């Protein structure tokens, strides 16, 4: 508890002191002003509809990117020609600035779909690396044993590959969704689709509504933390049930 409370008190206190010293809410509102504005926004249905719309875009794109990244890693591990083709492409995606992808995708599709595509692109290399690392932890002797006992591909995947890859995949999915979330909101801020948290942040900046800017930013952070905790809790619960079932 102290590890969380102490840094929080220090940084909030520093923020508060700096805001009071400046005395200009237009430049830097106090934490109380931001919380008050966030509470006002959260009391409206529009706020939650906007949050759900952004969540939907990010999860659609991030989920697709994770599935694609894992599938590409499996193909690259199985076929050398796949590794020769796709591995450089994954490295290019990882090295290219997000803003460049946002502008390019915006040329080819509507503003509503840009955050979806960007979230997917950001998730692919992370999921690919996690799956690749996880497959490297699979014991070859267990694979041979599964072949000797003529396990089906599905049974081999369930009993041999997934247990060995579980930790790497869990960390990769967690990181991929985190990057997809930040990139998706950034794409919304640039493309400004309707009902989007990024659009709300951009509008607050445009109209110099600084408390709204901080409030929406706080909403993005809090929602990200809440979703991450929820997904990690579900993963831990599922993992515990699998282990108890195996024992």
């Amino acid at each position: 508890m102290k590890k969380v409370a102490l840094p929080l008190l220090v940084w909030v206190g520093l923020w508060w002191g700096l805001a009071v010293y400046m005395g200009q809410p237009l430049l830097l509102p106090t934490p109380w002003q931001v919380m008050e504005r966030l509470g006002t926004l959260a009391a409206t249905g529009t706020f939650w509809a906007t949050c759900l719309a952004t969540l939907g875009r990010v999860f659609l794109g991030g989920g697709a990117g994770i599935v694609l990244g894992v599938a590409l890693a499996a193909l690259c591990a199985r076929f050398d020609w796949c590794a020769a083709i796709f591995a450089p492409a994954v490295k290019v995606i990882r090295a290219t600035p997000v803003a460049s992808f946002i502008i390019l995708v915006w040329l080819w599709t509507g503003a509503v779909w840009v955050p979806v595509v960007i979230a997917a692109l950001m998730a692919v290399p992370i999921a690919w690396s996690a799956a690749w690392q996880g497959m490297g932890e699979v014991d070859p002797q267990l694979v041979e044993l599964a072949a000797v006992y003529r396990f089906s591909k599905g049974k081999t995947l369930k009993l041999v590959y997934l247990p060995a890859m579980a930790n790497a995949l869990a960390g990769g999915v967690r990181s991929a969704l985190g990057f997809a979330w930040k990139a998706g909101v950034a794409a919304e801020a640039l493309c400004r689709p309707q009902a989007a948290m990024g659009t709300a942040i951009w509008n607050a900046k445009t109209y110099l509504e600084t408390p709204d800017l901080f409030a929406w930013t706080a909403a993005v952070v809090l929602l990200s933390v809440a979703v991450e905790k929820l997904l990690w809790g579900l993963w831990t619960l599922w993992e515990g049930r699998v282990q108890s079932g195996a024992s």
Side-chain angles (χ1 to χ4, degrees):
M1 187 65 181
K2 291 182 179 180
K3 293 181 179 180
V4 176
L6 182 59
L8 184 63
L9 288 174
V10 170
W11 288 108
V12 170
L14 182 62
W15 173 9
W16 199 305
L18 187 59
V20 171
Y21 174 77
M22 296 179 67
Q24 292 289 339
L26 180 64
L27 298 178
L28 183 63
T30 65
W32 173 253
Q33 289 172 328
V34 174
M35 290 175 59
E36 187 177 29
R37 185 56 186 155
L38 181 58
T40 301
L41 291 171
T44 64
T46 303
F47 173 84
W48 293 108
T50 301
C51 292
L52 288 175
T54 296
L55 273 174
R57 295 187 188 102
V58 171
F59 271 93
L60 178 61
I66 290 170
V67 172
L68 180 60
V70 173
L72 285 177
L75 287 174
C76 290
R78 180 65 179 84
F79 303 106
D80 292 338
W81 61 267
C82 282
I85 293 174
F86 291 115
V90 172
K91 293 179 181 179
V92 169
I93 293 174
R94 183 180 294 160
T96 304
V98 180
S100 299
F101 276 126
I102 294 174
I103 294 172
L104 286 173
V105 174
W106 200 2
L107 290 175
W108 303 327
T109 185
V112 174
W113 288 100
V114 173
V116 178
V117 177
I118 294 302
L121 282 173
M122 294 303 102
V124 165
I126 300 174
W128 184 87
S129 298
W132 188 271
Q133 177 185 349
M135 283 184 287
E137 297 175 0
V138 176
D139 190 345
Q141 293 182 350
L142 291 179
V143 177
E144 293 179 3
L145 188 63
V148 169
Y149 283 96
R150 298 181 179 179
F151 283 4
S152 65
K153 292 183 178 180
K155 192 173 183 180
T156 304
L157 177 65
K158 180 181 179 181
L159 298 180
V160 178
Y161 283 93
L162 287 183
M165 298 172 60
N167 290 333
L169 279 178
V173 168
R174 194 177 187 179
S175 298
L177 287 177
F179 275 92
W181 176 254
K182 290 185 288 186
V185 174
E188 288 181 342
L190 286 179
C191 301
R192 300 186 296 282
Q194 292 184 348
M197 299 180 78
T199 302
I201 291 174
W202 178 269
N203 290 338
K205 172 260 180 188
T206 301
Y207 298 110
L208 298 179
E209 297 171 345
T210 311
D212 280 37
L213 175 61
F214 275 77
W216 278 107
T217 303
V220 170
V221 174
L222 292 174
L223 194 58
S224 174
V225 172
V227 170
E228 180 181 353
K229 294 292 185 182
L230 176 61
L231 293 177
W232 194 252
L234 292 174
W235 168 264
T236 304
L237 180 63
W238 176 83
E239 191 176 29
R241 287 185 176 181
V242 170
Q243 291 177 355
S244 63
S247 60

